Amino acid sequence: ANSVALGYNVFKTLPLLTIPYLPLRPLYELFRNVPAVSFGAVVLLLLLSTKPVGVEPRFLDLSSRLVRYNILQALYLNVLGLGATFAQMAVKSPSLAALVGQDTQLLAAVTSNTAFLAILLSVLYSVRSNVSGTLPNQLPIISEIVDSQMEPF
């Protein structure tokens, strides 16, 4: 939900890009308006993706390496989106504008657009890699962090 909010300026400039997001609009509104849902989704994904030692899954096997890798990548991309949101809020603050002596709206727009496009391209790369059956481990910083969190098989 944070990443979609970062794309406000991109969506305003290129309204056709909103079409793929239209089916996800109710889910976006739920995540945006109910604070506990976002946290609950993160906890649920972490619980579903961890594989207890010696326990075989009964109905839903989310413990495969590819699924766990994608879940961790999505969580770290979410953290990246949160960081970009905080950076955008800091850039828009009146105290920074008073310190710089100019309007910081352009800097805020550039920050949010860059973060949104980076997250969008990362997601598209991950989807393409998953469809082709390869591990999406070529994202520069995110993949290194996820690789360090995954235990070897």
Side-chain angles (χ1 to χ4, degrees), residues 6-7 12-14 16-17 19 28 31 36 54 65 69 77-78 92-93 101 104 106 110-111 116 127 136 139-140:
L6 286 171
K12 192 169 68 172
T13 306
L14 303 168
L16 287 177
L17 285 180
I19 293 172
Y28 170 73
F31 274 85
R65 181 169 174 79
Y69 198 91
L77 283 172
N78 190 24
K92 282 184 174 179
S93 72
T104 57
L106 179 63
V110 168
T111 303
F116 172 74
V127 168
L139 297 174

PDB file of all heavy atoms in Angstrom, residues 6-7 12-14 16-17 19 28 31 36 54 65 69 77-78 92-93 101 104 106 110-111 116 127 136 139-140:
ATOM      1  N   LEU A   6       3.199   6.032  -3.071  1.00  0.00           N
ATOM      2  CA  LEU A   6       4.377   6.738  -3.589  1.00  0.00           C
ATOM      3  C   LEU A   6       4.231   7.067  -5.079  1.00  0.00           C
ATOM      4  O   LEU A   6       4.850   7.997  -5.568  1.00  0.00           O
ATOM      5  CB  LEU A   6       5.637   5.896  -3.373  1.00  0.00           C
ATOM      6  CG  LEU A   6       6.161   5.813  -1.956  1.00  0.00           C
ATOM      7  CD1 LEU A   6       7.273   4.770  -1.866  1.00  0.00           C
ATOM      8  CD2 LEU A   6       6.654   7.153  -1.472  1.00  0.00           C
ATOM      9  N   GLY A   7       3.416   6.286  -5.776  1.00  0.00           N
ATOM     10  CA  GLY A   7       3.247   6.498  -7.205  1.00  0.00           C
ATOM     11  C   GLY A   7       2.208   7.527  -7.573  1.00  0.00           C
ATOM     12  O   GLY A   7       1.822   7.624  -8.745  1.00  0.00           O
ATOM     13  N   LYS A  12      -0.723  10.433 -11.649  1.00  0.00           N
ATOM     14  CA  LYS A  12      -1.331  11.699 -12.070  1.00  0.00           C
ATOM     15  C   LYS A  12      -0.835  12.082 -13.466  1.00  0.00           C
ATOM     16  O   LYS A  12      -1.599  12.587 -14.287  1.00  0.00           O
ATOM     17  CB  LYS A  12      -0.975  12.791 -11.054  1.00  0.00           C
ATOM     18  CG  LYS A  12      -1.767  14.061 -11.226  1.00  0.00           C
ATOM     19  CD  LYS A  12      -1.572  15.010 -10.056  1.00  0.00           C
ATOM     20  CE  LYS A  12      -0.163  15.544 -10.052  1.00  0.00           C
ATOM     21  NZ  LYS A  12       0.054  16.600  -9.061  1.00  0.00           N
ATOM     22  N   THR A  13       0.427  11.819 -13.751  1.00  0.00           N
ATOM     23  CA  THR A  13       1.001  12.143 -15.047  1.00  0.00           C
ATOM     24  C   THR A  13       0.586  11.138 -16.127  1.00  0.00           C
ATOM     25  O   THR A  13       0.297  11.517 -17.258  1.00  0.00           O
ATOM     26  CB  THR A  13       2.541  12.183 -14.962  1.00  0.00           C
ATOM     27  OG1 THR A  13       2.913  13.074 -13.916  1.00  0.00           O
ATOM     28  CG2 THR A  13       3.157  12.648 -16.255  1.00  0.00           C
ATOM     29  N   LEU A  14       0.576   9.857 -15.776  1.00  0.00           N
ATOM     30  CA  LEU A  14       0.241   8.783 -16.718  1.00  0.00           C
ATOM     31  C   LEU A  14      -0.953   7.989 -16.183  1.00  0.00           C
ATOM     32  O   LEU A  14      -0.782   6.930 -15.585  1.00  0.00           O
ATOM     33  CB  LEU A  14       1.440   7.851 -16.910  1.00  0.00           C
ATOM     34  CG  LEU A  14       2.734   8.499 -17.387  1.00  0.00           C
ATOM     35  CD1 LEU A  14       3.901   7.541 -17.248  1.00  0.00           C
ATOM     36  CD2 LEU A  14       2.589   8.944 -18.827  1.00  0.00           C
ATOM     37  N   LEU A  16      -3.072   6.022 -17.439  1.00  0.00           N
ATOM     38  CA  LEU A  16      -3.274   4.656 -17.925  1.00  0.00           C
ATOM     39  C   LEU A  16      -2.575   3.619 -17.049  1.00  0.00           C
ATOM     40  O   LEU A  16      -2.946   2.446 -17.065  1.00  0.00           O
ATOM     41  CB  LEU A  16      -2.794   4.535 -19.374  1.00  0.00           C
ATOM     42  CG  LEU A  16      -3.681   5.202 -20.428  1.00  0.00           C
ATOM     43  CD1 LEU A  16      -3.063   5.072 -21.804  1.00  0.00           C
ATOM     44  CD2 LEU A  16      -5.076   4.619 -20.407  1.00  0.00           C
ATOM     45  N   LEU A  17      -1.579   4.044 -16.299  1.00  0.00           N
ATOM     46  CA  LEU A  17      -0.891   3.106 -15.410  1.00  0.00           C
ATOM     47  C   LEU A  17      -1.755   2.671 -14.230  1.00  0.00           C
ATOM     48  O   LEU A  17      -1.422   1.708 -13.547  1.00  0.00           O
ATOM     49  CB  LEU A  17       0.410   3.731 -14.880  1.00  0.00           C
ATOM     50  CG  LEU A  17       1.567   3.797 -15.854  1.00  0.00           C
ATOM     51  CD1 LEU A  17       2.772   4.429 -15.190  1.00  0.00           C
ATOM     52  CD2 LEU A  17       1.927   2.423 -16.358  1.00  0.00           C
ATOM     53  N   ILE A  19      -4.740   1.440 -14.487  1.00  0.00           N
ATOM     54  CA  ILE A  19      -5.623   0.343 -14.896  1.00  0.00           C
ATOM     55  C   ILE A  19      -5.246  -0.986 -14.248  1.00  0.00           C
ATOM     56  O   ILE A  19      -6.123  -1.682 -13.728  1.00  0.00           O
ATOM     57  CB  ILE A  19      -5.691   0.245 -16.438  1.00  0.00           C
ATOM     58  CG1 ILE A  19      -6.396   1.490 -16.984  1.00  0.00           C
ATOM     59  CG2 ILE A  19      -6.402  -1.023 -16.890  1.00  0.00           C
ATOM     60  CD1 ILE A  19      -6.362   1.625 -18.479  1.00  0.00           C
ATOM     61  N   TYR A  28      -6.264  -2.324  -1.380  1.00  0.00           N
ATOM     62  CA  TYR A  28      -5.471  -1.145  -1.057  1.00  0.00           C
ATOM     63  C   TYR A  28      -6.172  -0.277  -0.014  1.00  0.00           C
ATOM     64  O   TYR A  28      -5.555   0.192   0.941  1.00  0.00           O
ATOM     65  CB  TYR A  28      -5.199  -0.331  -2.336  1.00  0.00           C
ATOM     66  CG  TYR A  28      -4.594   1.023  -2.087  1.00  0.00           C
ATOM     67  CD1 TYR A  28      -3.269   1.137  -1.699  1.00  0.00           C
ATOM     68  CD2 TYR A  28      -5.351   2.184  -2.217  1.00  0.00           C
ATOM     69  CE1 TYR A  28      -2.712   2.382  -1.453  1.00  0.00           C
ATOM     70  CE2 TYR A  28      -4.797   3.415  -1.986  1.00  0.00           C
ATOM     71  CZ  TYR A  28      -3.478   3.514  -1.599  1.00  0.00           C
ATOM     72  OH  TYR A  28      -2.926   4.740  -1.346  1.00  0.00           O
ATOM     73  N   PHE A  31      -5.890  -1.947   3.438  1.00  0.00           N
ATOM     74  CA  PHE A  31      -4.564  -1.785   4.035  1.00  0.00           C
ATOM     75  C   PHE A  31      -4.313  -0.346   4.463  1.00  0.00           C
ATOM     76  O   PHE A  31      -3.634  -0.097   5.440  1.00  0.00           O
ATOM     77  CB  PHE A  31      -3.477  -2.217   3.039  1.00  0.00           C
ATOM     78  CG  PHE A  31      -3.183  -3.684   3.082  1.00  0.00           C
ATOM     79  CD1 PHE A  31      -3.948  -4.576   2.350  1.00  0.00           C
ATOM     80  CD2 PHE A  31      -2.164  -4.181   3.852  1.00  0.00           C
ATOM     81  CE1 PHE A  31      -3.690  -5.919   2.384  1.00  0.00           C
ATOM     82  CE2 PHE A  31      -1.893  -5.533   3.901  1.00  0.00           C
ATOM     83  CZ  PHE A  31      -2.658  -6.404   3.161  1.00  0.00           C
ATOM     84  N   ALA A  36      -4.052  -2.114  11.592  1.00  0.00           N
ATOM     85  CA  ALA A  36      -3.634  -3.430  12.064  1.00  0.00           C
ATOM     86  C   ALA A  36      -3.590  -4.464  10.946  1.00  0.00           C
ATOM     87  O   ALA A  36      -2.915  -5.483  11.077  1.00  0.00           O
ATOM     88  CB  ALA A  36      -4.557  -3.895  13.182  1.00  0.00           C
ATOM     89  N   GLY A  54      11.151 -30.654  11.283  1.00  0.00           N
ATOM     90  CA  GLY A  54      10.537 -31.946  11.528  1.00  0.00           C
ATOM     91  C   GLY A  54       9.028 -31.987  11.371  1.00  0.00           C
ATOM     92  O   GLY A  54       8.414 -33.016  11.611  1.00  0.00           O
ATOM     93  N   ARG A  65      11.661 -22.964  -0.909  1.00  0.00           N
ATOM     94  CA  ARG A  65      12.669 -21.899  -0.943  1.00  0.00           C
ATOM     95  C   ARG A  65      12.208 -20.719  -1.813  1.00  0.00           C
ATOM     96  O   ARG A  65      12.395 -19.565  -1.437  1.00  0.00           O
ATOM     97  CB  ARG A  65      13.989 -22.455  -1.454  1.00  0.00           C
ATOM     98  CG  ARG A  65      15.096 -21.421  -1.506  1.00  0.00           C
ATOM     99  CD  ARG A  65      16.437 -22.066  -1.754  1.00  0.00           C
ATOM    100  NE  ARG A  65      17.480 -21.106  -1.943  1.00  0.00           N
ATOM    101  CZ  ARG A  65      18.102 -20.443  -0.975  1.00  0.00           C
ATOM    102  NH1 ARG A  65      17.751 -20.639   0.267  1.00  0.00           N
ATOM    103  NH2 ARG A  65      19.062 -19.580  -1.240  1.00  0.00           N
ATOM    104  N   TYR A  69      11.638 -17.062  -0.366  1.00  0.00           N
ATOM    105  CA  TYR A  69      12.496 -16.016  -0.924  1.00  0.00           C
ATOM    106  C   TYR A  69      11.651 -14.834  -1.389  1.00  0.00           C
ATOM    107  O   TYR A  69      11.968 -13.671  -1.112  1.00  0.00           O
ATOM    108  CB  TYR A  69      13.305 -16.588  -2.094  1.00  0.00           C
ATOM    109  CG  TYR A  69      14.497 -15.764  -2.473  1.00  0.00           C
ATOM    110  CD1 TYR A  69      15.733 -16.008  -1.893  1.00  0.00           C
ATOM    111  CD2 TYR A  69      14.395 -14.734  -3.399  1.00  0.00           C
ATOM    112  CE1 TYR A  69      16.841 -15.252  -2.242  1.00  0.00           C
ATOM    113  CE2 TYR A  69      15.502 -13.977  -3.743  1.00  0.00           C
ATOM    114  CZ  TYR A  69      16.715 -14.244  -3.167  1.00  0.00           C
ATOM    115  OH  TYR A  69      17.805 -13.485  -3.502  1.00  0.00           O
ATOM    116  N   LEU A  77      11.061  -5.075   0.369  1.00  0.00           N
ATOM    117  CA  LEU A  77      10.623  -4.003  -0.520  1.00  0.00           C
ATOM    118  C   LEU A  77       9.607  -3.109   0.186  1.00  0.00           C
ATOM    119  O   LEU A  77       9.581  -1.899  -0.039  1.00  0.00           O
ATOM    120  CB  LEU A  77      10.025  -4.573  -1.806  1.00  0.00           C
ATOM    121  CG  LEU A  77      11.029  -5.091  -2.828  1.00  0.00           C
ATOM    122  CD1 LEU A  77      10.307  -5.808  -3.960  1.00  0.00           C
ATOM    123  CD2 LEU A  77      11.890  -3.969  -3.358  1.00  0.00           C
ATOM    124  N   ASN A  78       8.780  -3.703   1.045  1.00  0.00           N
ATOM    125  CA  ASN A  78       7.849  -2.909   1.834  1.00  0.00           C
ATOM    126  C   ASN A  78       8.599  -1.975   2.779  1.00  0.00           C
ATOM    127  O   ASN A  78       8.236  -0.816   2.952  1.00  0.00           O
ATOM    128  CB  ASN A  78       6.897  -3.823   2.610  1.00  0.00           C
ATOM    129  CG  ASN A  78       5.770  -3.062   3.253  1.00  0.00           C
ATOM    130  OD1 ASN A  78       5.410  -1.980   2.821  1.00  0.00           O
ATOM    131  ND2 ASN A  78       5.218  -3.632   4.301  1.00  0.00           N
ATOM    132  N   LYS A  92       9.121  17.144   2.643  1.00  0.00           N
ATOM    133  CA  LYS A  92       7.976  18.062   2.565  1.00  0.00           C
ATOM    134  C   LYS A  92       7.822  18.920   3.817  1.00  0.00           C
ATOM    135  O   LYS A  92       6.986  19.812   3.840  1.00  0.00           O
ATOM    136  CB  LYS A  92       6.684  17.266   2.381  1.00  0.00           C
ATOM    137  CG  LYS A  92       6.449  16.767   0.989  1.00  0.00           C
ATOM    138  CD  LYS A  92       5.098  16.091   0.918  1.00  0.00           C
ATOM    139  CE  LYS A  92       4.744  15.689  -0.473  1.00  0.00           C
ATOM    140  NZ  LYS A  92       3.438  15.015  -0.517  1.00  0.00           N
ATOM    141  N   SER A  93       8.610  18.676   4.845  1.00  0.00           N
ATOM    142  CA  SER A  93       8.413  19.390   6.108  1.00  0.00           C
ATOM    143  C   SER A  93       8.705  20.885   5.937  1.00  0.00           C
ATOM    144  O   SER A  93       9.616  21.282   5.214  1.00  0.00           O
ATOM    145  CB  SER A  93       9.305  18.802   7.198  1.00  0.00           C
ATOM    146  OG  SER A  93      10.642  19.153   6.970  1.00  0.00           O
ATOM    147  N   GLY A 101      15.236  27.458   2.050  1.00  0.00           N
ATOM    148  CA  GLY A 101      14.809  28.730   1.509  1.00  0.00           C
ATOM    149  C   GLY A 101      14.035  28.604   0.218  1.00  0.00           C
ATOM    150  O   GLY A 101      13.876  29.584  -0.493  1.00  0.00           O
ATOM    151  N   THR A 104      10.154  22.652  -1.451  1.00  0.00           N
ATOM    152  CA  THR A 104      10.769  21.331  -1.613  1.00  0.00           C
ATOM    153  C   THR A 104       9.827  20.334  -2.271  1.00  0.00           C
ATOM    154  O   THR A 104      10.077  19.135  -2.218  1.00  0.00           O
ATOM    155  CB  THR A 104      11.218  20.798  -0.238  1.00  0.00           C
ATOM    156  OG1 THR A 104      10.089  20.768   0.629  1.00  0.00           O
ATOM    157  CG2 THR A 104      12.323  21.643   0.347  1.00  0.00           C
ATOM    158  N   LEU A 106       9.296  19.718  -5.440  1.00  0.00           N
ATOM    159  CA  LEU A 106       9.938  19.015  -6.542  1.00  0.00           C
ATOM    160  C   LEU A 106      10.825  17.891  -6.018  1.00  0.00           C
ATOM    161  O   LEU A 106      10.810  16.780  -6.557  1.00  0.00           O
ATOM    162  CB  LEU A 106      10.754  19.987  -7.398  1.00  0.00           C
ATOM    163  CG  LEU A 106      11.504  19.354  -8.569  1.00  0.00           C
ATOM    164  CD1 LEU A 106      10.520  18.740  -9.565  1.00  0.00           C
ATOM    165  CD2 LEU A 106      12.387  20.374  -9.249  1.00  0.00           C
ATOM    166  N   VAL A 110      10.347  13.909  -6.816  1.00  0.00           N
ATOM    167  CA  VAL A 110      11.428  13.089  -7.371  1.00  0.00           C
ATOM    168  C   VAL A 110      11.711  11.901  -6.453  1.00  0.00           C
ATOM    169  O   VAL A 110      11.899  10.772  -6.915  1.00  0.00           O
ATOM    170  CB  VAL A 110      12.697  13.941  -7.592  1.00  0.00           C
ATOM    171  CG1 VAL A 110      13.897  13.076  -7.894  1.00  0.00           C
ATOM    172  CG2 VAL A 110      12.468  14.940  -8.706  1.00  0.00           C
ATOM    173  N   THR A 111      11.717  12.132  -5.145  1.00  0.00           N
ATOM    174  CA  THR A 111      11.955  11.050  -4.183  1.00  0.00           C
ATOM    175  C   THR A 111      10.884   9.979  -4.293  1.00  0.00           C
ATOM    176  O   THR A 111      11.189   8.786  -4.379  1.00  0.00           O
ATOM    177  CB  THR A 111      11.980  11.615  -2.748  1.00  0.00           C
ATOM    178  OG1 THR A 111      12.983  12.619  -2.664  1.00  0.00           O
ATOM    179  CG2 THR A 111      12.257  10.542  -1.738  1.00  0.00           C
ATOM    180  N   PHE A 116       8.956   4.679  -6.122  1.00  0.00           N
ATOM    181  CA  PHE A 116       7.861   3.920  -6.731  1.00  0.00           C
ATOM    182  C   PHE A 116       8.344   3.137  -7.942  1.00  0.00           C
ATOM    183  O   PHE A 116       8.037   1.942  -8.084  1.00  0.00           O
ATOM    184  CB  PHE A 116       6.725   4.860  -7.131  1.00  0.00           C
ATOM    185  CG  PHE A 116       5.656   4.178  -7.940  1.00  0.00           C
ATOM    186  CD1 PHE A 116       4.772   3.306  -7.328  1.00  0.00           C
ATOM    187  CD2 PHE A 116       5.543   4.406  -9.297  1.00  0.00           C
ATOM    188  CE1 PHE A 116       3.786   2.669  -8.063  1.00  0.00           C
ATOM    189  CE2 PHE A 116       4.562   3.778 -10.037  1.00  0.00           C
ATOM    190  CZ  PHE A 116       3.685   2.913  -9.424  1.00  0.00           C
ATOM    191  N   VAL A 127       8.317 -11.113 -10.771  1.00  0.00           N
ATOM    192  CA  VAL A 127       7.245 -11.859 -11.427  1.00  0.00           C
ATOM    193  C   VAL A 127       7.778 -12.559 -12.669  1.00  0.00           C
ATOM    194  O   VAL A 127       7.502 -13.743 -12.907  1.00  0.00           O
ATOM    195  CB  VAL A 127       6.059 -10.927 -11.772  1.00  0.00           C
ATOM    196  CG1 VAL A 127       5.073 -11.601 -12.706  1.00  0.00           C
ATOM    197  CG2 VAL A 127       5.372 -10.472 -10.504  1.00  0.00           C
ATOM    198  N   PRO A 136      14.550 -15.039  -8.238  1.00  0.00           N
ATOM    199  CA  PRO A 136      14.773 -13.614  -8.534  1.00  0.00           C
ATOM    200  C   PRO A 136      15.818 -13.002  -7.603  1.00  0.00           C
ATOM    201  O   PRO A 136      15.509 -12.195  -6.741  1.00  0.00           O
ATOM    202  CB  PRO A 136      13.384 -12.999  -8.310  1.00  0.00           C
ATOM    203  CG  PRO A 136      12.738 -13.872  -7.314  1.00  0.00           C
ATOM    204  CD  PRO A 136      13.280 -15.243  -7.551  1.00  0.00           C
ATOM    205  N   LEU A 139      18.361  -8.508  -7.642  1.00  0.00           N
ATOM    206  CA  LEU A 139      18.105  -7.151  -7.146  1.00  0.00           C
ATOM    207  C   LEU A 139      19.278  -6.764  -6.248  1.00  0.00           C
ATOM    208  O   LEU A 139      19.571  -7.478  -5.291  1.00  0.00           O
ATOM    209  CB  LEU A 139      16.790  -7.096  -6.371  1.00  0.00           C
ATOM    210  CG  LEU A 139      15.545  -7.425  -7.176  1.00  0.00           C
ATOM    211  CD1 LEU A 139      14.330  -7.480  -6.278  1.00  0.00           C
ATOM    212  CD2 LEU A 139      15.345  -6.402  -8.264  1.00  0.00           C
ATOM    213  N   PRO A 140      19.952  -5.673  -6.526  1.00  0.00           N
ATOM    214  CA  PRO A 140      21.233  -5.388  -5.881  1.00  0.00           C
ATOM    215  C   PRO A 140      21.283  -5.495  -4.355  1.00  0.00           C
ATOM    216  O   PRO A 140      22.013  -6.299  -3.834  1.00  0.00           O
ATOM    217  CB  PRO A 140      21.554  -3.973  -6.341  1.00  0.00           C
ATOM    218  CG  PRO A 140      20.821  -3.808  -7.604  1.00  0.00           C
ATOM    219  CD  PRO A 140      19.598  -4.653  -7.486  1.00  0.00           C
TER     220      PRO A 140
END
